[in-house]
């Protein structure tokens, strides 16, 4: 009998032609040892596991350099129309494995590490996640960069290099506790600082109106220092750039009228300017309206536009075509007034010409229709921080309302509704309206979301609403927890089942934190119940993030996508589960609608109200107690939560949640409860027939192709940006010897 294969040997056996040549492995080992010695300045006696990871990261990085330079050089020579993806978030996760996969280096590196007595997978676990995002919006931006490089688009991601990304979540006695994400502490081998391309960004000050134009004067300057990260395409030798800006105080910061005491204070005060890129705001789908956030939004936009214009002017056929700027939600919406400011005040173009360029250049992706997420900045904040931009926004609005009133004479209601400036109470700038007016294309993130946008937001003459759906290239890994879903309340427990929950609450969001506490409390009771035993476990996975999603999503058999119809714009987690072998129980909301269409409704567990039903219920009024009184199982569950069954030491711990569910639940969850339970019974019945279950899984995976981000980006390129994918590969450069 042969001895069992180790993981390493098994991989070696599987990768018949994937295993790179012996020469390659020898070179990798040589370069690895060189980096350990010269870059890490360590020998094997004193090296830590982190040193070994860094040596591998540098070894792999070397293979990017030639490809990166060659790609950028070929863009310079061919001078195609450039695409700029502007986003306040890029949720990249780890880089090492993705780079090895895209460069076809994974097997050779694994072999090289093995020959050096190291376990590559262990080293990979030493890499920090680049957690520069909250969730779907930021992960989308990361997937889009990957696809733009894989399709050979001359594209750039532009954002902020937050010193602290999304917080690390600890669960302590069942409660969420936040820890700072000091992801750069040990250095970041994937970035290259470019201090030679530093750009000034202005804030505050006032405007002067001269006969020859407007001057923005007496401003405070903060420098934007770019850090470049390579974005390799999939096996095409193309490497694009993600450029993230870091805030740097200028040398003369606060030193204008210094004396000896003033000098020390001025140096200490540099922190104030540099705070701009200190931390990612941990708000997903929520507008907080803080000045520092508005500074971040202008910082990335102002620095990026200087870069775009410099590159445009340097291009050989510069006047031939404009560039494409995609705004990932309204967060970079200031690109519109900033582009106008540069074209009018600095380039001295007339308004109409500048506006034409602006509209042709910008396109906007809307991510939500929930009112609490919409950016509406108070006018007085704008007036102080960006006085010239406020003037420009007023002028955009004046011309816009003139057009509206000439089309709809006397319709004052419409004028108010469509204004960029909200009156009544505190005056505010509505950033979504600014984006709609200043872009040539507006898209939602799923078909139903675009349809809702068209119905609720108005459509302007020049505004094309494009329909989109996002998707993902996601790793398929072999983790399985073969257990059945079962509702935790009031149903018979038949098969083994693990219910996994994972989420992060915004630190200031009380209800979200209480819901996490409720999940952990239910876990404490259920997981220790001797009658339930091992048949049911309720687990809260701590610190959900890209690396955890990569492991947990492929482990799932059933994906619950149970938003109230009309509230989830798209969802992207739903697609990842589908692609990785889970079936879905879901409402007809977001991308679920198209997923069911692609998989076939017979292979999808659909339940609950449709958008029309929700609208009808809104008109009639939703009364939670009707459902509570007529469904004994629901009543029992709610009574248990309210009575302290899950929190015996603090019986009224969850009274706020119960009160919310009973009296002011915007999401009307009880209205979908009965149908949800009935649908779960169908899930349970099917799970008992593994062949039929698996057949549906296969049909779901087969139907998931539409949700590839490559497909999505091809459509953006064609319908919004007007660029051709350069499907050609670049030739491979000489690899490091
Ligand atoms: C995909 C993803 C999300 C978004 O998930 P949704 O279910 O669409 O909200 C959030 N966080 C991480 C880490 C992800 O990978």
């Amino acid at each position: 009998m042969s001895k069992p294969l180790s993981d390493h040997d098994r991989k070696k056996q599987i990768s018949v032609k994937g295993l790179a040549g012996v020469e390659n492995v020898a070179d990798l080992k040589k370069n690895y040892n060189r980096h350990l010695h010269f870059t890490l300045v360590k020998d094997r006696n004193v090296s830590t596991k982190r040193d070994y990871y860094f040596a591998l990261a540098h070894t792999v990085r070397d293979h990017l350099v030639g490809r990166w330079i060659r790609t950028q050089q070929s863009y310079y020579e061919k001078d195609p129309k450039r695409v700029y993806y502007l986003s306040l978030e890029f949720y990249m996760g780890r880089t090492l494995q993705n780079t090895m996969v895209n460069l076809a280096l994974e097997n050779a590196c694994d072999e090289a590490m093995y020959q050096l007595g190291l376990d590559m997978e262990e080293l990979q676990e030493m890499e920090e996640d680049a957690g520069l995002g909250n969730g779907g919006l930021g992960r989308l931006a990361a997937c889009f960069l990957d696809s733009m490089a894989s399709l050979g688009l001359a594209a750039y991601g532009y954002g902020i290099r937050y010193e602290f990304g999304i917080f690390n979540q600890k669960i302590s006695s069942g409660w969420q506790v936040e820890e700072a994400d000091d992801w750069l502490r040990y250095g970041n081998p994937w970035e290259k600082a470019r201090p030679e391309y530093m750009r000034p960004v202005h804030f505050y000050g006032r405007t002067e109106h001269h006969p020859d134009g407007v001057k923005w004067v007496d401003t405070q300057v903060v420098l934007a220092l770019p850090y470049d990260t390579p974005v390799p395409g999939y096996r095409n030798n193309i490497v694009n750039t993600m450029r993230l800006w870091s805030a740097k105080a200028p040398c003369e910061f606060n030193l204008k009228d210094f004396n000896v005491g003033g000098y020390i204070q001025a140096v200490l005060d540099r922190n104030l300017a540099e705070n701009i890129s200190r931390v990612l705001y941990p708000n997903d789908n929520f507008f907080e309206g803080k000045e520092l956030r508005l500074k971040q939004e202008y910082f990335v936009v102002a620095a990026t536009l200087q870069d775009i214009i410099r590159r445009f002017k340097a291009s050989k056929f510069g006047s031939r075509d404009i560039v494409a700027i995609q705004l990932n939600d309204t967060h970079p919406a200031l690109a519109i007034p900033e582009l106008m400011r540069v074209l009018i005040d600095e380039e001295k173009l007339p308004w109409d010409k500048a506006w034409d360029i602006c509209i042709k250049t910008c396109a906007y992706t809307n991510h939500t229709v929930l009112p609490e997420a919409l950016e509406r900045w108070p006018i007085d904040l704008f007036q102080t921080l960006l006085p010239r931009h406020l003037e420009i926004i007023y002028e955009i609005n004046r011309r816009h309302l003139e057009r509206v009133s000439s089309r709809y004479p006397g319709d004052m209601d419409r004028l108010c509704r469509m204004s960029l400036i909200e009156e009544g109470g505190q005056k505010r700038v509505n950033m979504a309206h600014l984006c709609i007016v200043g872009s040539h294309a507006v898209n939602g993130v799923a078909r139903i979301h675009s349809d809702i946008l068209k119905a609720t937001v108005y459509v302007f003459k020049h505004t094309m609403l494009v329909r989109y759906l996002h998707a993902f290239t996601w790793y398929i890994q072999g983790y399985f927890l073969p257990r059945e879903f079962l509702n935790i309340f009031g149903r018979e427990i038949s098969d083994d089942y693990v219910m996994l929950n994972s989420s992060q609450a915004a630190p200031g969001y009380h209800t979200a934190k209480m819901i996490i506490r409720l999940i952990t409390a239910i876990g404490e009771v259920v997981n220790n119940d001797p009658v339930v035993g091992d048949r049911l476990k309720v687990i809260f996975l701590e610190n959900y993030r890209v690396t955890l999603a990569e492991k947990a999503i492929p482990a799932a058999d059933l994906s619950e996508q149970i938003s109230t119809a009309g509230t989830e714009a798209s969802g992207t987690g739903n697609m990842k589960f589908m692609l990785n072998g889970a079936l879905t129980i879901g409402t007809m909301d977001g991308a679920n609608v198209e997923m069911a269409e692609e998989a076939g409704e017979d292979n999808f567990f659909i339940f609950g109200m449709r958008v029309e039903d929700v609208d009808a219920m809104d008109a009639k009024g939703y009364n939670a107690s009707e459902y509570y009184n007529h469904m004994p199982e629901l009543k029992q569950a709610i009574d248990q939560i309210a009575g302290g069954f899950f929190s015996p030491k603090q019986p009224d711990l969850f009274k706020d949640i119960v009160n919310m569910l009973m009296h002011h639940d915007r999401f009307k969850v009880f209205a979908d409860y009965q149908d949800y339970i009935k649908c779960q019974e169908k899930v349970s019945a099917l799970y008992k027939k593994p062949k039929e279950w698996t057949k549906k899984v296969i049909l779901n995976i087969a139907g998931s192709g539409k949700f590839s981000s490559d497909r999505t980006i091809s459509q953006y390129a064609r319908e919004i940006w007007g660029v051709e994918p350069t499907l050609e590969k670049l030739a491979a450069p000489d690899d490091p010897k």
Side-chain angles (χ1 to χ4, degrees):
M1 211 171 96
S2 62
K3 74 179 170 101
L5 292 176
S6 71
D7 268 6
H8 176 80
D9 292 338
R10 196 168 57 241
K11 262 196 227 152
K12 208 165 150 176
Q13 211 174 49
I14 292 166
S15 59
V16 181
K17 74 175 195 311
L19 185 62
V22 181
E23 268 170 62
N24 202 353
V25 171
D27 288 334
L28 285 167
K29 280 165 64 183
K30 193 182 81 193
N31 287 316
Y32 181 87
N33 286 326
R34 184 172 54 79
H35 274 300
L36 194 63
H37 184 78
F38 287 103
T39 310
L40 279 301
V41 195
K42 286 282 180 89
D43 63 34
R44 292 289 297 256
N45 297 320
V46 289
S47 292
T48 64
K49 207 183 280 177
R50 182 171 291 104
D51 294 323
Y52 291 135
Y53 155 70
F54 274 109
L56 179 57
H58 279 101
T59 305
V60 170
R61 196 192 88 117
D62 287 349
H63 290 253
L64 285 166
V65 172
R67 291 169 170 86
W68 199 4
I69 291 172
R70 289 255 296 262
T71 301
Q72 301 309 311
Q73 182 64 25
S74 101
Y75 290 158
Y76 178 79
E77 278 157 17
K78 292 194 173 142
D79 201 25
K81 181 173 181 179
R82 312 297 209 280
V83 172
Y84 295 99
Y85 197 82
L86 269 62
S87 179
L88 269 282
E89 303 185 16
F90 287 95
Y91 204 173
M92 305 295 279
R94 288 179 180 153
T95 293
L96 175 59
Q97 190 183 18
N98 188 253
T99 306
M100 292 190 297
V101 167
N102 283 12
L103 267 50
L105 278 174
E106 201 178 18
N107 292 316
C109 285
D110 191 35
E111 180 65 25
M113 292 304 100
Y114 180 71
Q115 290 182 15
L116 292 168
L118 298 167
D119 178 344
M120 188 171 78
E121 281 184 25
E122 256 183 63
L123 304 192
Q124 284 174 202
E125 288 301 314
M126 299 308 295
E127 181 173 355
E128 297 275 344
D129 270 38
L132 309 186
N134 278 282
L137 175 148
R139 182 57 229 175
L140 186 79
C143 283
F144 278 8
L145 294 187
D146 182 282
S147 288
M148 290 188 294
S150 294
L151 293 169
L153 299 188
Y156 306 76
Y158 272 94
I160 295 178
R161 179 183 180 269
Y162 300 107
E163 191 177 327
F164 295 88
I166 190 69
F167 62 84
N168 283 310
Q169 178 195 56
K170 291 269 143 66
I171 299 297
S172 169
S173 312
W175 296 95
Q176 169 175 304
V177 178
E178 301 87 22
E179 280 183 3
D181 167 43
D182 196 0
W183 71 294
L184 295 167
R185 179 172 35 203
Y186 298 102
N188 174 4
W190 306 107
E191 68 183 9
K192 178 73 190 82
R194 302 282 191 200
E196 68 275 26
Y197 301 133
M198 202 130 62
R199 315 248 170 236
V201 177
H202 298 257
F203 294 99
Y204 303 109
R206 60 192 172 82
T207 60
E208 283 179 354
H209 291 249
H210 300 281
D212 62 331
V214 181
K215 288 205 171 87
W216 181 18
V217 297
D218 294 341
T219 55
Q220 290 179 24
V221 175
V222 178
L223 298 175
L225 166 59
Y227 285 78
D228 289 350
T229 299
V231 180
Y234 181 74
R235 297 187 188 182
N236 60 3
N237 298 313
I238 287 171
V239 180
N240 283 349
T241 300
M242 174 177 71
R243 175 162 285 186
L244 302 181
W245 302 100
S246 177
K248 199 85 185 110
C251 295
E252 68 276 14
F253 187 78
N254 271 3
L255 279 176
K256 289 229 166 61
D257 40 18
F258 83 84
N259 50 51
V260 175
Y263 163 72
I264 295 292
Q265 196 54 49
V267 175
L268 298 179
D269 286 349
R270 292 169 61 86
N271 273 329
L272 268 45
E274 294 173 0
N275 274 342
I276 290 176
S277 57
R278 196 77 68 206
V279 58
L280 166 76
Y281 275 93
N283 289 327
D284 199 16
N285 272 316
F286 184 76
F287 175 62
E288 206 185 337
K290 288 278 191 286
E291 183 185 44
L292 182 60
R293 169 69 180 201
L294 186 59
K295 280 188 178 166
Q296 290 183 338
E297 295 184 357
Y298 182 62
F299 177 74
V300 59
V301 157
T304 301
L305 275 172
Q306 290 177 64
D307 237 23
I308 293 175
I309 290 166
R310 176 195 50 79
R311 199 173 287 120
F312 180 71
K313 285 182 168 177
S315 74
K316 281 181 299 198
F317 319 109
S319 59
R320 190 191 54 200
D321 207 348
I322 328 228
V323 306
I325 295 180
Q326 190 68 34
L327 306 175
N328 195 21
D329 211 320
T330 59
H331 313 152
L334 286 166
I336 292 165
E338 172 66 1
L339 184 55
M340 289 299 285
R341 187 190 68 79
V342 173
L343 294 177
I344 292 168
D345 296 352
E346 294 177 10
E347 302 293 332
K348 306 292 181 194
L349 293 189
W351 180 282
D352 287 334
K353 177 75 189 145
W355 186 243
D356 184 55
I357 292 174
C358 186
I359 297 231
K360 280 192 178 133
T361 303
C362 297
Y364 156 60
T365 304
N366 174 283
H367 281 264
T368 180
V369 292
L370 295 185
E372 67 271 26
L374 302 181
E375 289 196 295
R376 296 152 60 247
W377 288 102
I379 292 278
D380 44 7
L381 201 58
F382 243 99
Q383 176 67 55
T384 316
L385 192 69
L386 301 165
R388 179 58 183 142
H389 297 80
L390 186 59
E391 289 177 357
I392 289 170
I393 289 168
Y394 275 134
E395 180 59 14
I396 294 173
N397 197 38
R398 192 187 65 74
R399 288 161 182 259
H400 160 59
L401 292 182
E402 220 169 71
R403 277 198 307 272
V404 176
S405 61
S406 74
R407 270 179 71 189
Y408 306 94
D411 190 343
M412 292 308 289
D413 256 15
R414 180 181 293 268
L415 231 48
C416 280
R417 222 168 49 233
M418 292 173 68
S419 176
L420 310 193
I421 310 292
E422 295 180 5
E423 314 273 346
Q426 199 178 27
K427 269 176 110 181
R428 291 165 178 274
V429 183
N430 185 314
M431 304 303 269
H433 291 196
L434 174 64
C435 286
I436 293 167
V437 174
S439 303
H440 68 278
V442 178
N443 70 285
V445 285
R447 189 170 66 208
I448 190 174
H449 173 55
S450 285
D451 290 343
I452 289 170
L453 267 187
K454 277 191 271 191
T456 57
V457 186
Y458 33 81
V459 186
F460 294 87
K461 203 172 167 190
H462 62 256
T463 300
M464 172 182 78
L465 272 166
V466 204
R467 297 170 171 188
Y468 277 107
L469 218 132
H470 295 145
F472 287 81
T473 47
W474 209 258
Y475 307 110
I476 297 177
Q477 305 189 356
Y479 300 87
F480 286 101
L481 298 176
R483 298 179 180 224
E484 186 189 3
F485 181 87
L486 200 76
N487 189 279
I488 51 176
F489 300 124
R491 288 209 296 129
E492 203 185 317
I493 298 165
S494 49
D495 289 287
D496 285 1
Y497 142 68
V498 175
M499 180 175 174
L500 297 177
N501 301 276
S502 198
S503 59
Q504 310 232 115
Y509 187 3
H510 175 71
T511 306
K513 289 192 156 177
M514 287 309 300
I515 290 171
I516 288 177
R517 183 66 192 98
L518 177 59
I519 294 167
T520 59
I522 291 171
E524 283 158 24
V525 171
V526 171
N527 300 343
N528 295 305
D529 187 315
V531 178
V532 174
D534 279 342
R535 288 177 300 171
L536 174 65
K537 295 288 174 198
V538 176
I539 308 288
F540 187 89
L541 291 175
E542 187 179 75
N543 204 20
Y544 189 61
R545 60 196 189 286
V546 174
T547 45
L548 182 54
E550 285 169 349
K551 296 179 174 76
I553 289 174
D557 285 316
L558 186 68
S559 160
E560 301 215 26
Q561 303 296 334
I562 58 181
S563 53
T564 307
T567 64
E568 170 61 73
S570 166
T572 51
N574 46 4
M575 303 164 185
K576 300 171 202 169
F577 283 107
M578 183 190 194
L579 185 60
N580 283 284
L583 295 187
T584 303
I585 180 168
T587 50
M588 275 302 201
D589 198 21
N592 298 353
V593 177
E594 287 152 276
M595 286 163 50
E597 195 171 295
E598 295 297 312
E601 291 201 4
D602 288 348
N603 305 308
F604 219 81
F605 295 102
I606 299 166
F607 75 95
M609 298 182 285
R610 310 300 197 254
V611 172
E612 305 79 60
D613 304 322
V614 177
D615 288 345
M617 182 170 287
D618 276 329
K620 163 175 147 275
Y622 163 68
N623 184 356
S625 49
E626 272 175 36
Y627 300 95
Y628 171 86
N629 289 325
H630 290 101
M631 281 184 267
E633 286 176 5
L634 175 63
K635 182 173 186 309
Q636 187 195 337
I638 296 301
D639 290 349
Q640 283 182 331
I641 296 170
F645 183 81
F646 297 106
S647 54
K649 288 182 193 148
Q650 256 179 290
D652 63 354
L653 186 61
F654 301 116
K655 70 172 190 318
D656 289 350
I657 287 189
V658 171
N659 188 44
M660 180 270 289
L661 289 171
M662 295 296 297
H663 302 295
H664 37 86
D665 176 13
R666 298 163 59 203
F667 296 102
K668 310 174 188 72
V669 294
F670 291 0
D672 274 339
Y673 185 79
Q674 189 148 36
D675 205 23
Y676 171 73
I677 296 295
K678 267 186 12 214
C679 197
Q680 283 288 6
E681 277 159 10
K682 286 192 214 155
V683 172
S684 298
L686 185 73
Y687 198 79
K688 294 200 178 71
K689 301 172 184 162
K691 267 197 167 165
E692 287 181 40
W693 179 280
T694 305
K695 184 177 168 195
K696 288 189 196 299
V697 166
I698 291 167
L699 289 168
N700 268 266
I701 295 172
S704 67
K706 182 180 185 185
F707 310 108
S708 143
S709 56
D710 288 358
R711 198 277 305 147
T712 313
I713 285 297
S714 301
Q715 200 179 347
Y716 271 69
R718 214 172 39 247
E719 295 182 22
I720 302 181
W721 302 330
V723 296
E724 293 276 309
T726 318
L727 283 171
E728 274 172 76
K729 279 187 182 184
L730 286 183
D734 289 338
D735 283 327
K737 288 276 178 318

